């Protein structure tokens, strides 16, 4: 049975020193051949996975054109002797997120597609590799994973991106509806000069798609990065700290208006690590209703955070409000920043440690935002935590981003096909197929199907009916 | 009292466009067939527009013809004007449309029916379908679940109490069931065109567990030709050379003197009158309950929904050669008579018009076609088929296409043969039926080329190449007709290969020719096929440099041209079709019990249980069934197989 070829990152991110990318399907060997330069090949021998024995491992490099991406070991499993009973290639590479992501993109570019959640297991079952008794479990896995992925995909998408995509889709479907109306009722709708008009529209769409692909490349499409929440009492220096980070990197990727005025969100890249930072309202024990709302919100964000930065004003003694914050820190990974180290010390490190004696996994740094001290140490600490796997983020983000990019590239390819059709003097009916493909591809990003959209658009926007 | 009792193989209820094709197919396949109609004068009546064909509908007619149906032949004998639409567009959307002589169309079809062996026409109203219960044998590996208990058709009962015993019934009741016509405040309980409606069958069907619903459609006024001032309108001509619909018609026979149609427009005055009287429109006043079609809106709808348009097209078309009645195309309405007259009289050329028949809206009972199999047989009643407007479609051509397929499949079931189903990659008929039985339709369904995802392959010019074989296998196409298509196919194939093989060098003669045609000179030896591919050329125009060319028929040349010029696009569609077929071939066991599959979300489970798709492909087209649900379904089916 012929199947398309799928790929996925088979290991968890960041924790380990190695990561595995698994490719399965009819073209697994050909795809691997295109991106792998074996040691033997380098020495002038011929090499192809097609000719290699099953269950063998090969040493070499993953290459993108001429540039080497990673030094890897690649294992070969021939159908049916693999997990999916299809031809399978596994690339064992260095586990850094960037490398995994790059290799995965390369695999996709060369003809595989990002596997659906649970798809390897599904294939394994359909191909008889998994016992009948596990069928129920397989079905549950597929459904739950897909539901999660779908939700993640929509949730992670930035509101601004989603509205751009919606707009592009509505432009595309309007053009399709016009063409179809003209084909259906040619005596009523004239298509003279339409090709040129459509070209202009397509140029605009193409430009937007290019931008979006750029965003997908540098992670600007998603609320990506380690979800980091800054907490502290009012005036502890939370906002100054955020400004300091922004100043330091000058890498404001984008500023998203928070869902409420109490919350400010920023994307920052610090020492190679992406942070999605949320600055919360100051936390203090209060009876004031309005303030309480802000505090509750901060608490909610903190609960969902991957990392919390707790800023303490070391010139002011700890009080009830700090107790509130300690509650929030429970079961969380966090960094304590003892700010205002330039002023008279009211809170010592020992004092904090005493308070935090029930917590084990945290870091503490003395800083002075005013005097720009301690920021480098913070950066270093963050990097260490990340690469040691002490903080990580949901790797679905990377998969989502890859799916989005795949879809954007497909949409762009389809748009260029339409332009080709216009250029070569084809008539309007030839544009529809590719316009529809672009529309469908963009729909996958925002989780919308095609359904009867076209027919509905025709009747809504164009008066039909002779 | 002695009972009137007759025996037949098939009973067809209704003699409209669906009923005629269904009855002819059954009779031609050797089955004793009775066709019932409430009025023999209404056989193949065209109660609405006077056309056969049009965008995508022309494709349907060609396909009906390729399979051995009658519609194409009948219109070739009775048309008044013919036009190939979209000629300036790609070949996939060329569509033939004829103005019909309505009375002639009806008379000719009636004659065909009357002279058909094995076919009996009966004027009467059918008021009940007789059924018996029986238990089907469980499938291998399956268990006797609830849905194996089925009903089976035994006959029909007519209004006089008489009974026709039969093995299959095909319901083609069109817009007649519990019909009511609305013209402003005036409501009559009649079928189309003042015909008697059928009032007994609906309740009988509901008793048999068939879900009915109510649709609505409308038609414009007919006017006295003598009251119209055509000098204020634009004349609309037919094509200079007419192309027949049927593959059996000699092209020379259709080169007739054609009738004229006329184009005029509404204006703001028209629209003002409509707006001022909306409260008297049964639709806007809420009197009409049925759902109307969006593609064929009444003039009231056009004015309300597209208020930015200051005029709408109105075509004035003849109803027939021997009548003065003219059809006012584009202005269907259910406004009261006085408003209609005032509104029509604002249109240039219609200032003094006299209305012969008023415009009206009609409401009728039809079914939710989700209750049908792809063969158009009811899922829970063996031997009961249905076709046409009763299935929630609209249009003569859509009706005829379904009638033909229902007829073929009813006959095959009786004869113990495999069913014949056209899929979405084979024919517009396949798209039509799949859409009807798989998707939720909330309005009368009309065919459109945008509904066919593989339309580049489903052209009106190649319906014979696509479907003759199936028509032959079904038994409606003769060996001779089939051989002719095989020969055509062979010639096309040989010629394409020759053009790909034959290269012309960059000689002086060739280069001069290239330049004279406005094309770039050749760089090196190039195949004739590659030259034809250039936008400046066609098969015909490279004749000068094609020395070995042998004379071929126009039909063969047309196919060669299209295959070469659009090769890239066609190949892409063929690859898509291969993907599509893979999913269509993954069959879902008949006895599957969706309630048991907990891994599928409840909404999807309910939909699957309702539609009971035959394949994974069909399942994936049901709205509300996600790709993940399909994955789970695949795993479940594999599990069933291994148990």
């Amino acid at each position: 049975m012929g199947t398309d070829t799928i790929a996925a990152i088979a290991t968890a991110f960041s924790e380990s020193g190695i990561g595995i990318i698994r490719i399965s399907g009819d073209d697994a060997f050909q795809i691997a051949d295109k991106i792998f330069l074996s040691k033997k090949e380098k020495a002038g021998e011929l090499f192809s996975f097609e000719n290699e024995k099953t269950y063998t491992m090969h040493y070499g490099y993953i290459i993108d054109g001429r540039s080497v991406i990673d030094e890897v070991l690649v294992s070969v499993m021939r159908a049916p002797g693999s997990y999916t009973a299809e031809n399978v290639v596994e690339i064992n590479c260095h586990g850094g997120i960037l490398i995994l992501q790059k290799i995965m993109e390369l695999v996709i570019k060369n003809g595989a597609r990002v596997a659906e959640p649970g798809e390897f297991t599904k294939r394994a079952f359909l191909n008889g590799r998994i016992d009948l008794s596990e069928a129920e479990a397989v079905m549950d896995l597929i459904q739950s994973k897909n539901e999660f992925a779908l939700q993640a995909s929509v949730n992670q998408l930035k509101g601004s991106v989603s509205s751009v995509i919606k707009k592009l889709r509505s432009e595309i479907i309007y053009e399709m509806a016009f063409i179809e109306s003209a084909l259906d009722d040619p005596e009523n709708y004239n298509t003279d000069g339409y090709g040129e008009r459509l070209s202009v529209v397509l140029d605009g769409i193409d430009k937007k798609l290019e931008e979006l692909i750029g965003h997908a490349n540098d992670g600007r499409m998603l609320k990506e990065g380690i979800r980091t929440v800054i907490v502290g009492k009012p005036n502890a220096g939370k906002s100054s700290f955020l400004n300091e980070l922004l100043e330091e990197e000058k890498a404001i990727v984008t500023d998203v208006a928070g869902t409420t005025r109490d919350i400010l969100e920023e994307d920052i890249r610090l020492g190679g690590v992406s942070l999605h930072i949320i600055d919360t309202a100051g936390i203090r024990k209060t009876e004031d209703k309005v303030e309480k709302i802000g505090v509750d919100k901060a608490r909610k964000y903190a609960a969902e955070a991957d990392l919390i930065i707790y800023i303490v004003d070391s010139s002011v003694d700890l009080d009830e409000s700090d107790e509130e914050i300690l509650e929030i820190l429970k079961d969380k990974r966090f960094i304590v920043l003892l700010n205002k180290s330039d002023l008279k010390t009211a809170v010592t490190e020992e004092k904090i440690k005493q308070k935090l004696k029930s917590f084990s996994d945290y870091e503490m740094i003395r800083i002075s935002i005013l005097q720009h001290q301690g920021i480098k140490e913070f950066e270093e600490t963050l990097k260490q935590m990340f690469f040691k796997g002490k903080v990580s983020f949901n790797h679905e983000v990377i998969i989502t981003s890859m799916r989005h990019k795949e879809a954007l590239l497909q949409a762009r390819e389809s748009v260029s096909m339409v332009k080709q059709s216009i250029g070569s003097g084809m008539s309007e009916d030839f544009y529809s197929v590719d316009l529809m493909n672009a529309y469908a591809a963009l729909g996958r990003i925002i989780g919308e199907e095609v359904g009867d959209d076209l027919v509905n658009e025709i009747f809504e926007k164009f008066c039909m009916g002779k | 009292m002695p009972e009137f009792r007759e025996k037949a193989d098939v009973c067809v209820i209704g003699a409209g466009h669906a009923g005629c094709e269904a009855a002819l197919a059954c009779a031609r396949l050797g089955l004793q067939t009775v066709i019932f109609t409430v009025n023999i004068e209404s056989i193949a009546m065209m109660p609405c527009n006077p056309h056969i064909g049009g965008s995508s509908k022309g494709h349907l007619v060609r396909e009906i013809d390729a399979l051995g149906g009658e519609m194409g032949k009948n219109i070739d004998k009775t048309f008044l004007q013919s036009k190939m639409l979209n000629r300036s567009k790609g070949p996939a959307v060329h569509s033939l449309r004829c103005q019909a002589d309505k009375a002639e169309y009806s008379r000719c079809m009636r004659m065909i029916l009357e002279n058909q062996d094995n076919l009996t026409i009966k004027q009467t109203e059918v008021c009940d379908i007789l059924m018996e219960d029986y238990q089907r044998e469980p499938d291998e590996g399956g268990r006797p679940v609830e849905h194996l208990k089925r009903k089976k058709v035994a006959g029909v009962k007519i209004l006089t109490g008489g009974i026709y015993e039969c093995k299959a019934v095909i319901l083609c009741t069109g817009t007649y069931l519990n019909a009511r016509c609305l013209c402003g405040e005036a409501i009559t309980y009649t079928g189309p065109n003042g015909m008697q409606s059928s009032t007994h069958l609906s309740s009988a069907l509901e008793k048999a567990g068939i879900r009915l619903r109510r649709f609505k459609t409308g038609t414009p006024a007919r006017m006295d030709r003598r009251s119209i001032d055509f000098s204020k309108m634009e004349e609309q001509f037919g094509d200079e050379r007419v192309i027949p619909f049927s593959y059996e018609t000699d092209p020379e026979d259709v080169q007739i003197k054609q009738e004229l149609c006329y184009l005029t427009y509404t204006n703001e005055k028209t629209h003002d009158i409509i707006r001022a009287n909306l409260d008297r429109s049964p639709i806007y006043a809420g009197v009409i309950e049925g759902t109307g079609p969006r593609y064929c809106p009444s003039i009231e709808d056009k004015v309300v929904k597209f208020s930015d348009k200051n005029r709408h097209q109105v075509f004035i078309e003849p109803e027939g050669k021997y009548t003065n009645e003219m059809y006012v195309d584009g202005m269907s309405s259910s406004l009261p008579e006085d408003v209609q007259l005032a509104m029509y009289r604002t249109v240039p050329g219609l200032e003094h018009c006299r209305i012969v028949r008023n415009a009206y809206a009609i409401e009728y009972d039809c079914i939710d076609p989700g209750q049908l199999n792809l063969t158009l047989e009811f899922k829970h009643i063996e031997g009961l088929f249905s076709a046409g407007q009763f299935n929630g479609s609209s249009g003569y051509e859509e009706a005829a296409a379904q009638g033909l397929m229902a007829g073929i499949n009813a006959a095959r079931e009786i004869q113990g043969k495999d069913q014949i189903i056209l899929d979405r990659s084979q024919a517009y008929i396949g798209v039509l039926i799949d859409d009807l039985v798989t998707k939720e339709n909330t309005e009368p369904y009309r065919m459109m080329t945008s509904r066919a995802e593989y339309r580049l392959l489903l052209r009106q010019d190649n319906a014979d190449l696509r479907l003759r074989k199936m028509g032959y296998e079904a038994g409606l196409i003769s060996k001779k007709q089939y051989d002719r298509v095989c020969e055509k196919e062979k010639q096309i194939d040989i010629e394409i290969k020759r053009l790909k093989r034959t290269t012309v060098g960059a000689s002086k003669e060739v280069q001069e020719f290239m330049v004279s045609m406005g094309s770039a000179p050749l760089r090196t030896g190039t195949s004739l096929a590659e030259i034809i591919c250039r936008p400046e050329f066609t098969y015909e125009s490279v004749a000068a440099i094609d020395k070995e060319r042998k004379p071929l028929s126009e039909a063969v040349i047309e196919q060669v041209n299209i295959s070469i010029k659009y090769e890239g696009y066609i190949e892409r569609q063929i690859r898509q079709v291969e993907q599509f077929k893979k999913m269509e071939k993954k069959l879902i066991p008949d006895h599957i019990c969706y309630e048991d599959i907990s891994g599928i979300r409840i909404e999807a489970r309910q939909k699957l249980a309702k539609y009971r798709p035959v394949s994974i492909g069909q399942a994936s087209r049901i709205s509300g069934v996600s790709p993940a649900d399909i994955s789970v379904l695949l795993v479940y089916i594999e599990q069933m197989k291994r148990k």
Side-chain angles (χ1 to χ4, degrees), chain A residues 2 122 125 130 143 180 183-184 187 191 417 421 426-430 432 434 456 459 464-466, chain B residues 55 86 89-90 97 294-295 297 302 313 317 329 446 450 455 566 569 572 582 599 629 631 635 642:
Chain A
K122 177 184 107 183
F125 183 83
I130 295 183
Q143 195 58 262
E180 295 307 323
L183 295 175
D184 210 69
E187 286 151 325
T191 54
M417 299 280 261
S421 296
M426 303 305 281
S427 62
E428 293 76 13
D429 51 307
F430 287 92
S432 303
D434 293 308
N456 291 337
F459 295 139
M464 309 291 291
K466 185 182 157 174
Chain B
S55 186
N86 286 329
K89 308 286 192 294
R97 186 188 64 202
R294 290 174 296 176
Y295 49 80
K302 289 185 190 178
Q313 288 181 321
E317 302 162 340
D329 203 337
R446 199 197 78 171
S450 57
R455 74 173 168 205
Y566 305 108
Y569 292 89
R572 263 173 70 199
K582 264 188 209 165
D629 296 323
S631 289
V635 170
R642 283 199 224 163

Side-chain angles (χ1 to χ4, degrees), chain B residues 206-252:
Chain B
E206 279 184 315
K207 254 182 233 149
I210 293 170
R211 295 190 305 276
L212 297 179
R213 60 177 170 184
R214 214 135 165 88
F215 272 177
K216 168 251 153 184
T217 186
T219 194
R222 317 295 195 272
M223 287 171 188
D224 186 336
R225 174 188 278 271
R226 295 169 303 170
S227 68
I228 301 172
D229 181 358
F230 294 109
S231 69
K232 294 185 177 164
M233 304 179 179
E234 298 163 32
E235 291 179 330
Q236 304 283 304
F237 301 95
D239 286 343
E240 249 172 58
R241 177 151 180 96
V242 174
I243 297 168
F245 262 118
S246 174
Y247 293 99
E248 303 308 312
T249 304
D250 182 342
E252 295 314 314

Side-chain angles (χ1 to χ4, degrees), chain A residues 232-236 282-286 291 310-327 329 338 346-348 351-352 355-356:
Chain A
K233 284 189 290 194
N235 253 332
I283 292 179
R284 66 169 157 203
K285 199 152 176 97
T286 174
E291 230 184 309
Y310 172 24
I311 302 187
V312 181
D313 180 347
S314 62
S315 67
V316 179
D317 216 343
L318 296 176
D319 60 21
E320 279 189 308
S321 302
D322 291 284
E323 299 290 336
E324 289 263 309
I325 293 171
L326 290 187
E327 277 298 305
L329 294 180
L338 281 175
V347 184
T348 59
K351 209 164 181 177
I352 294 269
K355 276 271 176 208
L356 293 173

